[in-house]
Amino acid sequence: MTRRATLRDVAELAGVSIKTISRVVNGTGPVAETTEHRVRAAIDELGFRPNPAARSLRVGHDDAVGLVIENIADPFMATLTAGIESRIRAAGKLVIITSGGYEPENERAAIESLAHRRVAGMIVTPTSMSHSYLAQGVATVPLVFVDRPPIQFDTDTVLSDNEGGARLAAEHLIAHGHERIAFVGDRIGLFTTSLRYQGFRAALTAAGLPVLAHHVRTDVVDPDSAAAATREMLAGDDPPTAIISANARSSLGVIRGLHEEPSSMVAHVSFDDFEGAESLSPPVTVVHQDPIAMGRTAADLMLERLDDPSGPPRHIVLPTRLIVRGSGELPPCDPS
Amino acid sequence: MTRRATLRDVAELAGVSIKTISRVVNGTGPVAETTEHRVRAAIDELGFRPNPAARSLRVGHDDAVGLVIENIADPFMATLTAGIESRIRAAGKLVIITSGGYEPENERAAIESLAHRRVAGMIVTPTSMSHSYLAQGVATVPLVFVDRPPIQFDTDTVLSDNEGGARLAAEHLIAHGHERIAFVGDRIGLFTTSLRYQGFRAALTAAGLPVLAHHVRTDVVDPDSAAAATREMLAGDDPPTAIISANARSSLGVIRGLHEEPSSMVAHVSFDDFEGAESLSPPVTVVHQDPIAMGRTAADLMLERLDDPSGPPRHIVLPTRLIVRGSGELPPCDPS
DNA sequence: TTGTATGCGTTATCAG
DNA sequence: CTGATAACGCATACAA
């Protein structure tokens, strides 16, 4: 493999002009049957593949798809990425990932960097609630939002059913006789926390149960603070008999908190599944989102959008489902 | 933002030739102080950034770095990726990820795809033991191997101390009085399993303990089979009093197996840390690898190599450390 | 210290 | 149905 074959090489070997090769490769314009055969043979013989840089320069955009996420090390995001990547790759394109690292400024820079590379489109999980820069045309290509709603403008979106999933969790606990159910989650300003809290609230209200302020914590940013919140609630007056944790990180903390007080058998449902949930004792009942499906769906939306940029934005909400494992089926057990 | 500014636009605004702009941007060749000021002002005003496609076409290679991994959804790989991405991004370059999905054929295709894009270099976790195609010049750019040793040719490599870590784990259990220690891991054909087994074996031998065939399982590919292996060992004659699991997935299965038999307090050390290890009861003692550091190191090697392609291949082995949490400090407890 | 001209490999225009 | 040629934006040999 001394030098890479170019259109010209193929043209020479096939005895036609480079434009004809281009036509065969891209399926543009009519080509005679016999010519096409000759050209294909030449392409195979030389192992020709078009140079993406040259094409990008000429047509003004790359055929890679950019992915902007907060943190690839987050298991949910990593799995989402796997779904996206497999679909995009199956379409013969590449994924270029960039992390914003929870910093809106970084995120903006990442998007600009991708825009500058003229990616064909971007799949984005915006960090901040205010991504006005996106509306200002920082990205001039198709945009698909995942796990975050579009705020200031409308575009293709894939979400999972945050509210419905949380309602499911609460209804499950209520069905098992619980009347004092706590909610432990990340900052309420986050889109997902907010919707999950609404679902929780709706289920309690529908069952005629009060939503008690001291049973709601939405300021928990890591496992440690979730564990602390759990301890405080259990130690306080009127402790809950069941806890819903609103995301995987919080769940780990809640579990730690519960394990420290093994005498009180408090029921627990986690929003979002996590590795090892079934290895715990009791195994953790969870509301399962399907990050792989979310990723695939987002990628499909993108591919369709690239194919046909017109048409109204589509908003897809993927269902969640309850996976019963044990921790969510514990009966209410009054420690008082 | 109607059209993207080009060198020519900047040149016109600054009243100099495009070559001068190029010199300022790339720091090549001498430029007069005052000229440079004027040029920089023009660049800022127009928001000019060089077009990567054009540059790539001209110089023959892109400045993005390719990353080839098996599966981005694997937590270890995801964290490794985070480390790589942050470093590469800090250097102003992008990471293009592709997954081989455990299929050597896919992996080869992924690498060819990257090679075709003329990435500046590739960071690779080769799936198969035989990656002869890499030696055959599929990749004509700098290569850095991570978490896998170079087999058929020599190149920059970052590994963690698999053997030392496993020895650490075994020595720890031995120090706590264990004499019947089992090893549960993935296929022995895998590089990491093999080295970890060697470390385990070395520690036992050094302590004058026998390595019993029925205490060694190296055919465990998922948590389910690890759980089954654990059950079988505990139920068999001469059950072990401690288990070392050789990777995170196996650990989850071993834990499940142990939880099913809560009467037997078997000690356990996991090679590789995992999310939730400290939320379990007992919390799991682990040999911690540092995937973030591995990623950063690999990225650094790559950046240095891009800067200076000459020089001998470097092989870096990162230390592992034991994190004591409880499960590894249980005393031997004879169930017979 | 600065400018001019050429070509990287592809696609698009327009003529044959 | 096919081909000659320009242009995309940049870097570089070469000239000034």
Side-chain angles (χ1 to χ4, degrees), chain B residues 16-17 20 23 30-32 35 57-58:
Chain B
V16 294
S17 82
T20 304
R23 275 201 262 265
V31 177
T35 316
L57 181 59
R58 185 62 175 80

Side-chain angles (χ1 to χ4, degrees), chain A residues 7 19 22 26 48 50-51 55 58:
Chain A
L7 275 190
K19 175 60 188 169
S22 176
N26 299 310
F48 168 80
N51 179 327
R55 165 177 273 159
R58 187 58 239 254

Side-chain angles (χ1 to χ4, degrees), chain B residues 31-153:
Chain B
V31 177
E33 185 90 9
T34 58
T35 316
E36 173 154 0
H37 274 309
R38 246 200 353 264
V39 170
R40 292 217 177 278
I43 288 176
D44 286 347
E45 182 174 340
L46 294 167
F48 167 80
R49 285 179 62 182
N51 178 326
R55 165 180 268 154
S56 170
L57 181 59
R58 185 62 175 80
V59 306
H61 62 86
D62 200 302
D63 71 346
V65 171
L67 174 61
V68 182
I69 54 183
E70 298 172 336
N71 176 16
I72 185 72
D74 179 286
F76 178 82
M77 287 301 167
T79 312
L80 188 72
T81 301
I84 292 172
E85 206 268 343
S86 70
R87 268 301 208 275
I88 298 291
R89 180 161 41 81
K93 304 181 197 300
L94 288 176
V95 176
I96 300 182
I97 55 163
T98 60
S99 295
Y102 303 106
E103 290 295 331
E105 209 29 68
N106 284 352
E107 178 178 299
R108 187 200 160 88
I111 290 175
E112 274 184 346
S113 173
L114 289 174
H116 198 78
R117 270 191 104 84
R118 295 292 178 73
V119 292
M122 296 186 207
I123 300 177
V124 181
T125 307
T127 287
S128 68
M129 294 295 264
S130 110
H131 32 266
S132 54
Y133 54 92
L134 283 174
Q136 288 161 12
V138 168
T140 54
V141 293
L143 236 41
V144 174
F145 277 29
V146 191
D147 201 40
R148 298 285 185 281
I151 301 274
Q152 326 209 344
F153 64 106

Side-chain angles (χ1 to χ4, degrees), chain A residues 4-47:
Chain A
R4 213 134 214 127
T6 75
L7 275 190
R8 194 138 43 202
D9 301 325
V10 180
E12 194 165 349
L13 180 61
V16 294
S17 83
I18 61 170
K19 175 60 188 169
T20 303
I21 314 295
S22 176
R23 277 201 262 266
V24 171
V25 171
N26 299 310
T28 53
V31 177
E33 186 90 8
T34 57
T35 316
E36 172 152 1
H37 273 309
R38 244 195 1 257
V39 170
R40 292 219 177 277
I43 288 177
D44 285 348
E45 182 174 341
L46 277 69

